[in-house]
C-alpha cells in the first residue's frame, strides 16, 4: 500500500491534495491512503472560528469548507486526527469517529480502524497534566478556559487505547510526540534546527508521557506525529529500551552558542494565545526559556491573507512565497539507524525527480491549492527532491527485536518538510483499481462498548475499573461480537427505499454504518451577512447516532433532543 503522511495541515487542504496528485503524476505511483497528523482545522464556515483556539489575527477559513459542502471531493481516502488548533465543536460531534467530509475520516478523540488489513490507531489532542484525569466536560459554546481544555487528551481515552493488543502492520498517529522520542534519533541535528528544545530534552519533558506508555504497549511498526513543526526521524527499539532505560543525554547533547549572556531562546514559530499562560505555566520564563512544547508553533505568516502577502511583496520588493534553498537542502539523508528510510532500495532513475524538470511540485501545488497564481518559472523545491520519491517498506522483525520507526513532519508551507511518501506491506493484498477498504476494528468496538459506562461528560471522571476487571469486560464484549456480530444496515435496499438492520459478523465497512452527513451550514450556504448559522449552536450528528446504535450504547456526545 502506498501512503502519504502529512504533518500539521492548518487548513491547507487544497495544497496537500494537489501535492499528492502531482506526486502521482510525476511517479505514476497512485497513493492509496493519506494520513494527517492534527491541526486539521475542519472549519465549515466562519462561525466555527468561535471554537478554534487561535487569536483572531490567525482566523483564516482555509479550504476544508469546499470539501464539506461537496464542491470538491478528497481524491484519496484520508484519515485525520485532531491537534490543539481545531474546530473543536465539529470534532466533538464525531467524538467516536466519523466522516468530516466525503472520503475524509476522523478517528475521533481516540480510535482504531483497518484499511485493507493495515491497522491505523490514533490519539487526538495534546497532553496537559491538569486536565488529564478529568472527564470530557466542555460544552458548546466554549469559554476562554474550555476552548483550550477541550483538546487536552484524557486518561479515559488513553486507557481505551491501552487495551488494544499488539498487531503487526500497525501505524499510530498522534499530534504530540511521545516523551523521550527525541533521544532516539539525531538529537544534535534536531537541536540545531530547534535549539529551544534543549532544556526539555535534557529534563526529558519534551512530549507526552501517556503517548510514551502507548508506544511501549502497542509497539506499532510506524508512529507519525506533527505539532513541533520540524521533521525528525527516530528508531525506537523495544527490545532494549524501556521506561527504566531512558538514556541521560545532559552530558552528551551538543553545545549551543548564545548570542549573549542574557539571550532568550524562544521558538520563532510559537503562536501566542491570549490568556494561555493562565492555563499553562504559572512560573515566569527563565533566562534560557525553551518555549511551551505543547503549543503549536506557527510562524507569523502562517495564516496571512492573500492581501497581506501582496502588501508584503510590494513593501519589500520581493515575492513572499519565493523559496530559498538552504545550504543543507540537498544534503544526503543521515545513515542508519537515524534515518527512518535507512536500508531501503535505491530510487529508480526513471522515477527520480530532478530540479530542472520537477517544477517544484510541492510549492506549485501549495500555490494552486490556495488560489495563488503560478508562473512558468517556479522556485527551488520545498524539500529535498529525493525525499519526495523515497519509499519505505515495513520492517520485518521478530517480537524480541521489534522496532518502531518514528517520523514527525513540519506544517504545510514553503520551505517545510511537511509530507512524506511510503510503500508499506499490509496483511491483506491491495486490490488494484479499487479504493482501499476502510473497516471498523472489532477489538476497538469491544473496548468502546465495555468502557462506555465510564465515559464521563462532567468534570469528574468516573473511577475506572481495575486491570483484571477491564480484561474481563473486554473479553466478554469480544466474545459477544464474535458470536452475535454487529447490528448494521443491510446492503439490500427494500422496494420502498428503506434498509433493514441485520446482524453481521466479521469486519464491517465503515460506510455501511456511517455516511457523511453535513450538520452546520457551510460557508457558501450563509447569507451575505453571515446569516444561517451560529458559533453557539451544537448539532446531533447522525454518524454518532449510527455508531452508538451499532454498539447498542447511549449517545452521550450529542443526543437528539427529547
Amino acid at each position: 500500500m502506498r501512503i502519504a503522511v502529512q504533518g500539521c495541515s492548518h487548513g491547507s487542504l487544497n495544497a496537500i491534495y494537489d501535492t499528492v496528485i502531482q506526486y502521482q503524476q510525476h511517479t505514476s505511483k497512485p497513493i492509496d491512503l493519506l494520513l494527517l497528523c492534527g491541526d486539521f482545522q475542519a472549519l465549515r464556515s466562519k462561525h466555527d472560528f468561535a471554537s478554534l483556539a487561535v487569536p483572531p489575527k490567525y482566523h483564516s477559513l482555509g479550504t476544508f469548507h469546499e470539501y464539506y459542502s461537496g464542491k470538491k471531493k478528497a481524491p484519496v481516502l484520508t484519515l485525520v486526527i485532531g491537534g490543539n488548533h481545531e474546530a473543536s465543536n465539529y470534532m466533538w460531534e464525531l467524538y467516536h469517529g466519523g466522516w468530516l467530509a466525503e472520503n475524509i475520516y476522523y478517528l475521533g478523540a481516540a480510535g482504531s480502524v483497518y484499511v485493507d488489513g493495515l491497522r491505523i490507531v490514533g490519539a487526538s489532542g495534546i497532553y496537559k497534566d491538569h486536565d488529564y484525569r478529568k472527564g470530557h466536560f466542555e460544552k458548546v459554546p466554549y469559554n476562554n478556559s474550555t476552548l483550550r481544555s477541550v483538546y487536552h487528551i484524557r486518561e479515559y481515552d488513553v486507557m481505551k487505547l491501552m487495551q488494544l493488543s499488539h498487531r503487526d502492520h500497525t501505524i499510530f498517529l498522534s499530534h504530540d510526540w511521545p516523551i523521550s522520542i527525541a533521544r532516539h534519533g539525531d538529537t544534535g541535528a534536531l537541536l540545531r534546527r530547534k535549539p529551544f528544545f534543549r532544556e526539555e530534552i535534557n529534563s526529558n519533558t519534551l512530549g507526552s508521557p501517556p503517548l510514551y506508555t502507548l508506544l511501549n504497549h502497542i509497539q506499532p511498526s510506524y508512529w507519525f506525529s506533527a505539532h513541533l513543526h520540524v521533521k525528525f526521524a527516530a528508531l525506537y527499539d523495544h527490545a532494549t529500551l524501556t521506561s527504566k532505560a531512558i538514556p541521560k543525554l545532559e552530558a552528551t547533547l551538543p553545545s549551543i552558542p548564545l548570542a549573549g549572556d542574557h539571550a532568550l531562546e524562544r521558538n520563532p514559530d510559537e503562536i501566542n494565545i491570549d490568556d494561555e499562560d493562565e492555563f499553562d505555566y504559572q512560573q515566569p520564563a527563565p533566562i534560557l526559556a525553551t518555549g511551551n512544547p505543547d503549543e503549536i508553533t506557527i510562524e507569523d505568516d502562517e495564516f496571512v491573507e492573500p492581501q497581506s502577502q501582496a502588501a508584503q511583496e510590494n513593501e519589500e520588493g520581493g515575492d513572499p512565497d519565493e523559496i530559498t534553498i538552504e545550504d543543507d537542502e540537498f544534503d544526503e539523508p543521515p545513515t542508519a539507524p537515524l534515518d527512518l528510510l535507512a536500508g531501503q532500495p535505491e530510487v529508480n532513475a526513471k522515477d527520480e525527480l530532478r530540479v530542472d524538470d520537477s517544477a517544484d511540485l510541492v510549492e506549485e501545488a501549495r500555490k494552486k491549492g490556495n488560489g495563488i497564481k503560478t508562473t512558468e518559472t517556479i522556485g527551488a523545491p520545498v524539500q529535498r527532491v529525493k525525499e519526495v520519491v523515497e519509499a519505505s517498506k515495513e520492517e520485518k522483525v521478530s517480537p524480541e527485536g521489534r522496532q518502531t520507526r518514528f517520523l514527525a513532519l513540519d506544517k504545510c508551507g514553503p520551505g517545510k518538510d511537511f509530507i512524506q511518501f511510503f510503500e508499506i506491506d499490509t496483511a491483506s493484498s491491495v486490490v488494484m483499481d479499487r479504493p482501499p477498504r476502510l473497516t471498523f476494528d472489532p477489538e476497538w468496538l469491544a473496548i468502546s462498548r465495555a468502557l462506555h459506562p465510564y465515559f464521563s461528560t462532567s468534570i469528574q471522571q468516573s473511577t475506572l475499573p481495575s486491570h483484571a476487571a477491564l480484561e474481563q469486560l473486554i473479553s466478554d464484549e469480544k466474545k459477544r461480537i464474535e458470536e452475535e456480530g454487529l447490528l448494521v444496515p443491510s446492503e439490500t435496499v427494500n422496494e420502498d427505499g428503506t434498509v433493514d438492520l441485520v446482524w453481521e459478523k466479521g469486519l464491517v465497512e465503515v460506510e455501511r454504518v456511517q455516511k457523511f452527513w453535513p450538520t452546520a451550514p457551510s460557508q457558501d450556504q450563509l447569507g451575505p451577512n453571515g446569516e444561517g448559522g451560529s458559533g453557539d449552536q451544537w448539532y446531533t450528528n447522525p454518524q454518532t447516532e449510527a455508531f452508538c446504535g451499532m454498539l447498542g450504547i447511549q449517545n452521550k456526545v450529542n443526543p437528539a433532543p427529547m
Side-chain angles (χ1 to χ4, degrees):
M1 177 182 292
R2 294 190 183 97
I3 69 172
V5 183
Q6 155 76 38
C8 297
S9 302
H10 292 304
S12 300
L13 205 50
N14 283 354
I16 294 167
Y17 285 135
D18 285 351
T19 302
V20 172
I21 291 171
Q22 291 199 30
Y23 169 85
Q24 294 177 135
Q25 292 173 344
H26 278 271
T27 64
S28 299
K29 295 179 178 180
I31 297 299
D32 303 299
L33 179 65
L34 172 64
L35 305 176
L36 305 181
C37 297
D39 281 3
F40 179 73
Q41 295 180 198
L43 297 163
R44 300 164 291 185
S45 75
K46 65 180 183 180
H47 292 304
D48 286 336
F49 287 148
S51 299
L52 178 68
V54 299
K57 69 177 181 177
Y58 290 117
H59 284 174
S60 178
L61 191 57
T63 53
F64 167 77
H65 67 96
E66 298 176 8
Y67 299 84
Y68 177 80
S69 68
K71 181 180 178 181
K72 294 184 178 180
K73 179 182 175 180
V76 60
L77 175 61
T78 304
L79 299 189
V80 177
I81 60 166
N84 58 319
H85 295 302
E86 303 292 357
S88 296
N89 54 342
Y90 189 25
M91 296 302 205
W92 174 247
E93 286 183 29
L94 298 171
Y95 166 84
H96 294 291
W99 299 102
L100 294 167
E102 191 174 356
N103 222 26
I104 304 174
Y105 193 82
Y106 171 51
L107 290 178
S112 178
V113 295
Y114 281 102
V115 180
D116 283 345
L118 181 65
R119 188 187 225 180
I120 312 291
V121 184
S124 294
I126 63 171
Y127 172 75
K128 289 290 185 179
D129 180 69
H130 56 264
D131 287 325
Y132 182 60
R133 291 174 178 82
K134 295 177 183 176
H136 288 279
F137 65 93
E138 297 85 0
K139 300 290 187 297
V140 176
Y142 304 119
N143 59 34
N144 285 338
S145 175
T146 58
L147 181 61
R148 289 150 180 79
S149 65
V150 67
Y151 53 74
H152 293 161
I153 195 169
R154 303 300 155 90
E155 182 182 31
Y156 171 80
D157 301 306
V158 172
M159 180 65 73
K160 288 174 65 179
L161 292 170
M162 284 293 293
Q163 308 315 306
L164 288 170
S165 56
H166 171 77
R167 293 280 190 277
D168 292 331
H169 309 285
T170 295
I171 291 175
F172 199 107
L173 305 179
S174 69
H175 191 60
D176 254 349
W177 297 16
I179 202 167
S180 89
I181 197 67
R183 299 169 175 224
H184 300 283
D186 191 341
T187 309
L190 175 63
L191 286 174
R192 286 190 291 273
R193 296 277 314 270
K194 302 285 184 177
F196 32 82
F197 290 166
R198 179 183 175 84
E199 286 300 316
E200 287 157 301
I201 293 175
N202 268 335
S203 60
N204 200 34
T205 56
L206 183 69
S208 166
L211 292 182
Y212 182 76
T213 303
L214 287 168
L215 170 64
N216 284 281
H217 172 72
I218 296 179
Q219 300 184 9
S221 303
Y222 294 89
W223 187 300
F224 300 123
S225 298
H227 191 41
L228 299 182
H229 291 177
V230 63
K231 183 176 182 179
F232 177 75
L235 186 66
Y236 189 91
D237 191 336
H238 295 279
T240 58
L241 294 165
T242 67
S243 58
K244 295 182 180 180
I246 299 174
K248 182 65 174 176
L249 299 186
E250 186 170 355
T252 59
L253 288 177
S255 61
I256 301 173
L258 299 177
D261 293 338
H262 301 286
L264 183 63
E265 291 289 348
R266 291 198 181 278
N267 189 342
D269 288 333
E270 184 175 0
I271 181 170
N272 295 316
I273 300 178
D274 295 341
D275 301 325
E276 183 70 24
D277 290 343
E278 179 180 350
F279 310 105
D280 290 337
Y281 299 117
Q282 301 300 323
Q283 298 296 326
I287 292 298
L288 298 180
T290 58
N292 183 353
D294 292 322
E295 284 191 5
I296 279 300
T297 56
I298 301 179
E299 291 183 353
D300 294 338
D301 62 354
E302 178 70 69
F303 294 109
V304 175
E305 297 290 342
Q307 311 90 287
S308 299
Q309 290 179 335
Q312 181 181 351
E313 180 178 352
N314 292 334
E315 180 178 329
E316 298 180 1
D319 182 359
D321 290 316
E322 184 179 356
I323 308 301
T324 56
I325 304 178
E326 297 180 1
D327 292 339
D328 62 348
E329 183 71 11
F330 295 95
D331 286 351
E332 291 296 321
T335 56
L338 302 178
D339 183 10
L340 183 72
L341 305 177
Q344 301 306 319
E346 294 291 328
V347 178
N348 293 333
K350 65 183 180 65
D351 294 328
E352 186 172 357
L353 300 179
R354 301 182 183 279
V355 178
D356 56 358
D357 60 13
S358 69
D360 186 13
L361 75 155
V362 176
E363 177 61 4
E364 183 179 16
R366 188 192 70 81
K367 291 184 176 182
K368 287 183 178 179
N370 288 285
I372 302 173
K373 184 178 180 181
T374 57
T375 60
E376 294 182 359
T377 304
I378 306 297
V382 168
Q383 58 192 109
R384 300 177 184 88
V385 175
K386 287 186 178 181
E387 289 182 354
V388 179
V389 293
E390 283 178 324
S392 173
K393 292 184 178 179
E394 182 190 19
E395 182 178 22
K396 294 178 174 63
V397 293
S398 65
E400 294 76 19
R402 187 171 291 122
Q403 296 173 319
T404 295
R405 292 184 172 187
F406 173 86
L407 178 66
L409 289 163
D410 207 334
K411 61 186 176 183
C412 182
K416 307 294 182 183
D417 289 321
F418 63 86
I419 196 165
Q420 190 84 24
F421 299 91
F422 297 85
E423 186 168 347
I424 299 178
D425 292 336
T426 61
S428 60
S429 59
V430 177
V431 179
M432 301 300 293
D433 300 323
R434 176 186 69 77
R437 185 170 176 241
L438 177 65
T439 56
F440 290 110
D441 179 349
E443 184 176 31
W444 179 252
L445 297 182
I447 292 167
S448 296
R449 189 152 66 184
L451 279 169
H452 188 69
Y454 304 94
F455 176 41
S456 172
T457 55
S458 65
I459 196 167
Q460 185 68 38
Q461 171 60 49
S462 305
T463 302
L464 297 173
S466 66
H467 178 70
L470 270 176
E471 282 190 334
Q472 187 61 52
L473 286 170
I474 295 169
S475 176
D476 292 345
E477 292 298 344
K478 285 181 180 178
K479 184 177 180 181
R480 180 180 165 190
I481 290 176
E482 289 172 358
E483 293 179 351
E484 299 178 0
L486 296 164
L487 192 59
V488 302
S490 170
E491 292 184 289
T492 303
V493 180
N494 299 323
E495 291 183 359
D496 60 358
T498 61
V499 176
D500 297 325
L501 294 178
V502 297
W503 291 96
E504 187 163 315
K505 299 179 182 180
L507 292 177
V508 174
E509 290 197 35
V510 170
E511 281 200 308
R512 286 279 302 281
V513 179
Q514 296 176 301
K515 296 184 183 296
F516 170 62
W517 189 281
T519 49
S522 62
Q523 181 65 23
D524 58 6
Q525 292 175 319
L526 300 181
N529 297 316
E531 303 93 340
S534 170
D536 295 343
Q537 192 169 351
W538 68 274
Y539 300 87
T540 298
N541 198 301
Q543 295 187 72
T544 300
E545 292 273 78
F547 181 91
C548 293
M550 173 182 64
L551 295 184
I553 60 177
Q554 176 190 2
N555 177 9
K556 298 181 180 181
V557 176
N558 44 26
M562 300 298 291

